């Protein structure tokens, strides 16, 4: 048994390095992108006006709350940290690297609290979640773009922690520890609900579902309700921000549409169907689910407890899965008045959350199937044969899906020189902008280079473009134009 555990540990360490290392290559080669320049310029302006960094961050985030969006907790953090103006490019990259590691750690922490009796299962599931990423643009917007990261992936990490500490609170009987777990869960839930409404909605939905499933325990341990209450209050504060309504009205006016909450209910259902076509059309993800499914059955792994699962539990989990997914998509469909998730960051965030829920459901379903197989005395040889055949069938399609994913693109870009060339080109742009004479018109010509895996500054040939103007303000220039030529 000890030898087996050591072997598994070595394999998990190797797998973790193989999966995480390419993604760290991306964070350590990231550069400020899009809104990053505007947020940092706004922060520096506010510091000049108020003379205090904390006060400036609060004032700037409240201005956003009034006029653009309700993500006041995330915005305050973004305005305060401002990594590029504070620590330069290396500082920016370090912050992005820490955010990615924090995401992986928080996900493993959650899985570890849920599946604590199976030391290997949490890490296997976390690796599956990390490896199955295919929407490379969405991934980049959540992990290689500072503003996107601190409104989405950063908050999602805190949502993982909020649920993890709530589970510890639920299962613990030590009064002192319970108070600590309650404070940690409330604090993490508060931060999770202070970013994107999509993440806030998922956070509240999962915490509510936990209470519903454990309602009998609520009377004797009322503390388990507090994280949900805190999360909902902060989500409401974010949702009812004047800026959200101004932004929404602006979208309707510009697009010439008029939709209300009833339209959003139907739009969200259409969105739910279409998103699942994309998620389940990822054959690499399906292959990983198949491996997880048969790993639990053949290994006779107890997933969530020592108690047997029945069909009622499985149906309840399925209903809960659909409920959380629907609630997650609803604020986006309602806010953008669309049956699509509009931006890559919103679509990718949804797919991350939905994939985690699907993984959890498949794990529970596998435990149930294992129980039924044991009852009916079905031969292990038959199960193993089915497992092998199913896996082989999935492999051919999975290779194609994997090659479309960020993981494969990062490996190829980092090994064939494309990533290094693209990065050097973008760093040269930033160097020339920072050394340009203040108030001047800057025109930069760079050779055309392209990377699927990395993000550039987002500067275009149009000096009136939003990003170009943000860059001009940040570097103190009159105008900026970057032209790429072969």
């Amino acid at each position: 048994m000890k030898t087996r555990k050591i072997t598994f540990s070595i394999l998990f360490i190797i797998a973790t390095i193989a999966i995480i290392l390419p993604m760290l290559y991306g964070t350590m080669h990231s550069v400020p992108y899009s809104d990053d320049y505007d947020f940092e310029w706004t922060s520096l302006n506010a510091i000049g006006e108020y003379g205090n960094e904390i006060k400036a961050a609060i004032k700037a985030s409240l201005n956003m709350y009034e006029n653009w969006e309700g993500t006041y907790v995330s915005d305050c953090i973004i305005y305060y940290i401002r990594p590029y103006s504070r620590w330069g490019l290396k500082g920016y990259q370090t912050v992005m690297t820490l955010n990615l590691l924090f995401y992986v750690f928080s996900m493993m922490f959650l899985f570890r609290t849920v599946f604590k009796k199976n030391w290997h299962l949490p890490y296997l599931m976390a690796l599956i979640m990390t490896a199955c990423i295919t929407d490379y643009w969405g991934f980049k917007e959540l992990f290689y773009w500072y503003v996107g990261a601190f409104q989405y992936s950063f908050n999602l990490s805190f949502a993982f922690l909020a649920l993890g500490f709530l589970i510890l609170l639920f299962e613990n009987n030590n009064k002192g520890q319970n108070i600590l777990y309650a404070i940690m869960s409330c604090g993490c839930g508060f931060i999770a609900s202070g970013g994107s409404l999509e993440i806030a909605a998922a956070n509240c939905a999962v915490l509510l579902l936990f209470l519903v499933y454990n309602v009998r325990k609520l009377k004797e341990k009322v503390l388990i309700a507090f994280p949900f209450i805190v999360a909902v209050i902060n989500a409401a504060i974010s949702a009812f921000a004047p800026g959200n309504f101004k932004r929404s009205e602006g979208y309707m006016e510009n697009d010439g549409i008029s939709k209300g909450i009833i339209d959003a209910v139907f739009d969200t259902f259409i969105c739910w169907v279409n998103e699942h076509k994309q998620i389940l059309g990822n054959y690499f993800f399906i292959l990983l689910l198949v491996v997880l499914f048969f790993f639990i059955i053949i290994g006779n792994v107890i997933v969530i407890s020592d108690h047997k699962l029945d069909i009622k539990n499985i149906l309840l989990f399925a209903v809960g899965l659909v409920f959380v997914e629907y609630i997650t998509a609803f604020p986006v469909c309602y806010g953008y008045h669309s049956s699509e998730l509009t931006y890559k960051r919103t679509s990718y965030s949804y797919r991350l959350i939905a994939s985690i829920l699907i993984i959890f459901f498949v794990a529970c379903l596998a435990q149930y199937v294992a129980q039924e197989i044991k009852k009916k005395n079905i031969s292990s040889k038959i199960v193993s044969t089915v497992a092998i055949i199913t896996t082989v069938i999935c492999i051919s399609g999975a290779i194609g899906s994997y090659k479309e994913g960020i993981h494969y693109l990062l490996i190829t870009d980092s090994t064939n020189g494309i990533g290094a060339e693209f990065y050097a080109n973008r760093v040269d742009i930033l160097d020339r902008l920072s050394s340009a004479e203040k108030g001047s018109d800057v025109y930069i010509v760079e050779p055309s280079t392209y990377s699927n895996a990395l993000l550039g500054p987002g500067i275009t040939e149009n000096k009136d473009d939003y990003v170009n103007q943000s860059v001009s303000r940040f570097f103190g220039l009159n105008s900026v134009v970057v032209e790429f030529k072969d």
Side-chain angles (χ1 to χ4, degrees), residues 87-108:
W87 301 301
L89 188 56
K90 289 300 177 186
Y92 181 94
Q93 293 164 348
T94 300
V95 168
M96 302 313 296
T97 299
L98 291 174
N99 178 64
L100 176 61
L101 293 175
F102 177 51
Y103 170 80
V104 175
F105 163 79
S106 62
M107 183 166 50
M108 286 189 172

Side-chain angles (χ1 to χ4, degrees), residues 403-432:
K403 287 185 175 181
E404 295 174 0
I406 187 70
H407 196 258
Y408 178 80
L409 295 174
L410 281 164
I411 291 172
T412 54
D413 275 18
S414 62
T415 54
N416 61 16
I418 289 176
E421 184 181 3
F422 178 87
Y423 175 68
N425 175 277
R426 271 56 187 175
V427 171
D428 181 59
I429 293 172
L430 293 176
D431 288 342
R432 292 168 70 175

Side-chain angles (χ1 to χ4, degrees), residues 1-19 119-120 123 127:
M1 187 68 180
K2 188 176 180 181
T3 304
R4 185 184 174 193
K5 191 169 183 177
I6 292 172
T7 303
F8 266 112
S9 297
I10 293 171
L11 289 174
F12 282 128
I13 290 170
I14 293 170
T16 301
I17 293 171
I19 290 169
W119 65 271
H120 50 282
Y123 305 109
L127 291 175

Side-chain angles (χ1 to χ4, degrees), residues 109-408:
F109 171 78
L110 173 60
F111 286 153
R112 191 73 185 89
T113 57
V114 176
F115 309 109
K116 58 188 168 299
K117 292 185 181 297
N118 307 284
W119 65 271
H120 50 282
L121 190 60
Y123 305 109
L124 176 64
M125 296 178 77
L127 291 175
I128 287 174
M129 261 312 300
T130 309
C132 74
I133 297 162
T134 55
D135 184 353
Y136 60 89
W137 259 105
F139 178 85
K140 290 189 289 188
E141 289 192 358
L142 260 66
F143 292 101
Y144 300 159
W145 173 27
Y146 172 62
V147 171
F150 278 79
Q151 289 184 345
Y152 288 87
S153 59
F154 180 74
N155 304 82
L156 184 56
S157 298
F158 275 99
F160 294 155
L161 294 178
L163 180 57
F165 282 118
L166 178 59
I167 293 169
L168 291 176
L169 168 63
F170 177 79
E171 296 177 342
N172 190 59
N173 292 317
N174 183 295
K175 188 175 180 180
Q177 287 181 344
N178 280 346
I179 293 172
L180 176 62
Y181 290 146
I183 292 171
M184 294 298 293
S185 185
C186 287
C188 292
F190 177 86
I191 295 173
S193 288
S196 160
L197 283 178
E198 183 179 16
I199 306 301
N203 181 45
C204 293
V206 170
L207 294 177
L208 174 61
L209 211 59
F210 184 89
L211 291 181
V212 171
Y213 284 163
N214 300 286
V215 67
R216 293 179 182 176
K217 188 84 171 179
L218 191 56
K219 288 183 179 179
E220 60 182 270
K221 191 173 277 191
V222 71
L223 275 178
I224 64 173
F226 280 45
F228 170 71
I229 294 169
V230 170
V232 167
I233 290 173
N234 201 32
I237 293 171
S238 297
F240 289 105
N244 285 337
F245 295 98
K246 290 178 183 178
R247 186 177 183 180
S248 179
E249 288 167 6
Y251 282 130
M252 285 197 291
E253 190 175 313
N254 292 336
D255 297 337
I257 57 175
S258 178
K259 285 189 174 185
I261 196 165
I262 301 300
D263 299 290
V265 170
F266 291 101
D267 283 344
T268 304
F269 176 74
I270 295 169
C271 174
W272 181 84
V273 172
N274 291 335
E275 283 296 321
H276 274 77
K277 288 179 182 177
Q278 295 296 318
I279 293 169
L280 299 178
N282 176 0
Y283 298 114
F284 184 61
F285 182 51
I286 298 300
L287 172 64
L288 294 173
L289 290 178
V290 167
V291 171
L292 175 67
F293 184 79
F294 285 109
F295 175 83
I296 291 170
I297 291 175
I298 295 170
N300 198 27
V301 176
I302 304 299
V303 176
I304 58 171
S305 71
D306 292 325
H307 302 290
K308 290 185 178 180
L309 289 172
D310 55 29
I311 192 65
K312 181 182 176 182
N313 297 133
I314 297 301
L315 291 175
L316 281 173
F317 290 149
V319 171
L321 179 148
V322 174
F323 169 75
V324 175
E325 290 176 341
Y326 186 90
I327 295 298
T328 300
F330 181 80
V332 184
C333 294
Y334 180 54
Y336 291 119
H337 313 288
S338 172
S339 59
E340 297 178 354
L341 293 178
T342 308
Y343 295 107
K344 291 293 184 182
R345 56 188 174 274
T346 52
S347 176
Y348 182 72
S349 297
Y350 176 85
R351 292 175 192 178
L352 275 183
I353 294 164
S355 296
I356 290 172
L357 294 168
I358 291 170
I359 287 171
F360 175 76
F361 178 75
V362 167
C364 294
L365 180 63
Q367 179 180 332
Y368 171 73
V369 171
Q371 291 170 185
E372 295 302 305
I373 288 173
K374 197 172 182 180
K375 278 183 193 176
K376 295 174 181 177
N377 294 317
I378 297 174
S379 169
S380 60
K381 289 183 179 179
I382 294 175
V383 177
S384 299
T385 303
V386 173
I388 292 168
I389 293 171
T390 309
T391 303
V392 169
I393 291 171
C394 292
I395 284 174
S396 58
I399 294 172
S401 289
Y402 175 71
K403 287 185 175 181
E404 295 174 0
I406 187 70
H407 196 258
Y408 178 80

